[in-house]
């Protein structure tokens, strides 16, 4: 079933890189600035895959359209971008995985909803080898995941057809986007999945507990 995979694509936050420590630090810095108490890391981690909007909602209880939301989000992004790669690292096993894929003639890339002004310096800071064949950010195209548009652009840039691609992510939108683009999909259970989510119901082709299991799955 899977021996024709030519490209493995990854979500960034919670799949390729453990970005939660730096995002949690930015949120807690903002909370303290605003006279509120910092939140436990364990509370913040499951929300990280859902982006800045979800983190502001978690910390302040406000969302888009609410008073003060835009100002808080802007300040949060400024704090985060100042210390983007302080504690962020690839998940354990990602670096040897990428080298193994290269040895098998499989390239790799990133499809994230993170905006490019954060994605590009973060990917540069991770200094992964081999380098990605494509990096598609949340504002690279008109539609973000769960829309398939960014997935299809990634295929084109990586030189593969959708059915030759595997997408690995830790959020339901990742699996929806990959499926709608015509790719195989895997849930990264090591990512930022909260206790009340049910990844077994997302319709993925499989679920993995470590990056290395991608190689087992490809066999």
């Amino acid at each position: 079933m899977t021996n024709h995979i030519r490209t493995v694509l990854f979500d960034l936050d919670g799949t390729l890189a453990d970005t939660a420590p730096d995002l949690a630090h930015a949120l807690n810095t903002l909370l303290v600035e605003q006279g509120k108490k910092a939140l436990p890391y364990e509370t913040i981690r499951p929300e990280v895959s859902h982006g800045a909007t979800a983190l502001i909602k978690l910390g302040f209880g406000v969302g888009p359209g609410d008073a003060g939301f835009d100002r808080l989000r802007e300040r949060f992004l400024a704090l985060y971008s100042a210390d983007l790669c302080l504690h962020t690292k690839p998940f354990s096993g990602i670096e040897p995985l990428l080298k193994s894929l290269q040895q098998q003639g499989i390239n790799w890339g990133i499809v994230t909803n993170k905006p490019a002004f954060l994605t590009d310096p973060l990917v540069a800071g991770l200094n992964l080898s081999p380098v990605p064949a494509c990096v598609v950010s949340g504002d690279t195209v008109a539609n973000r995941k769960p829309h398939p548009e960014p997935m299809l652009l990634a295929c084109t840039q990586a030189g593969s057809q959708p059915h030759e691609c595997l997408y690995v992510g830790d959020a339901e939108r990742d699996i929806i986007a990959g499926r709608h683009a015509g790719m195989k999909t895997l849930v990264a259970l090591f990512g930022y999945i909260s206790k009340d989510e049910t990844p077994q119901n997302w319709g993925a082709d499989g679920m993995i507990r470590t990056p290395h299991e991608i190689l087992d799955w490809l066999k």
Side-chain angles (χ1 to χ4, degrees):
M1 177 180 77
T2 56
N3 59 0
H4 63 280
I5 296 294
R6 296 182 63 231
T7 299
V8 178
L9 299 168
F10 298 88
D11 175 48
L12 181 52
D13 299 78
T15 303
L16 190 74
D18 189 7
T19 56
D22 289 330
L23 283 156
H25 177 71
L27 179 61
N28 279 332
T29 301
L30 180 60
L31 282 163
V32 172
E33 274 186 9
Q34 298 294 317
K36 292 180 173 284
K37 280 188 178 171
L39 291 171
Y41 176 72
E42 298 70 35
T43 303
I44 299 173
R45 187 183 189 272
E47 293 299 321
V48 164
S49 272
H50 305 299
T53 297
L55 291 172
I56 295 300
K57 190 158 193 179
L58 175 70
F60 296 92
V62 295
D66 292 335
F69 171 79
D70 291 341
R71 179 180 53 80
L72 288 167
R73 185 176 182 276
E74 198 173 307
R75 178 62 182 151
F76 169 76
L77 291 174
L79 288 165
Y80 176 53
S81 61
D83 279 320
L84 199 57
C85 227
L86 205 59
H87 302 290
T88 291
K89 291 182 174 61
F91 277 101
S92 176
I94 285 290
E95 291 170 291
L97 166 68
L98 298 180
K99 288 181 168 53
S100 296
L101 292 175
Q102 183 182 40
Q103 287 161 6
Q104 295 178 35
I106 298 171
N107 64 6
W108 73 280
I110 296 167
V111 185
T112 177
N113 278 357
K114 212 179 190 79
F117 85 93
L118 297 172
T119 302
D120 294 343
L122 178 54
V123 172
L126 291 171
N127 197 27
L128 293 164
S129 175
V131 297
C134 59
V135 178
V136 178
S137 296
D139 49 1
T140 304
V141 288
N143 297 289
R144 310 190 320 161
K145 298 176 294 182
H147 197 283
E149 186 182 8
M151 318 297 288
L152 296 172
L153 176 62
C155 290
T156 303
Q157 292 183 349
S160 295
Q161 297 296 317
H163 69 271
E164 298 172 320
C165 292
L166 167 66
Y167 189 62
V168 188
D170 69 319
E172 187 172 15
R173 80 178 74 81
D174 298 329
I175 305 308
I176 293 169
R179 286 173 56 208
H180 285 175
M183 301 175 179
K184 298 293 182 189
T185 56
L186 291 177
V187 178
L189 293 173
F190 54 84
Y192 307 143
I193 299 173
S194 67
K195 289 192 180 90
D196 57 0
E197 292 184 284
T198 52
Q200 66 273 15
N201 298 334
W202 295 348
D205 293 288
M207 298 190 289
I208 53 165
R209 296 195 175 276
T210 67
H212 182 81
E213 288 177 34
I214 293 171
L215 296 175
D216 300 332
W217 193 85
L218 288 170
K219 287 172 190 164

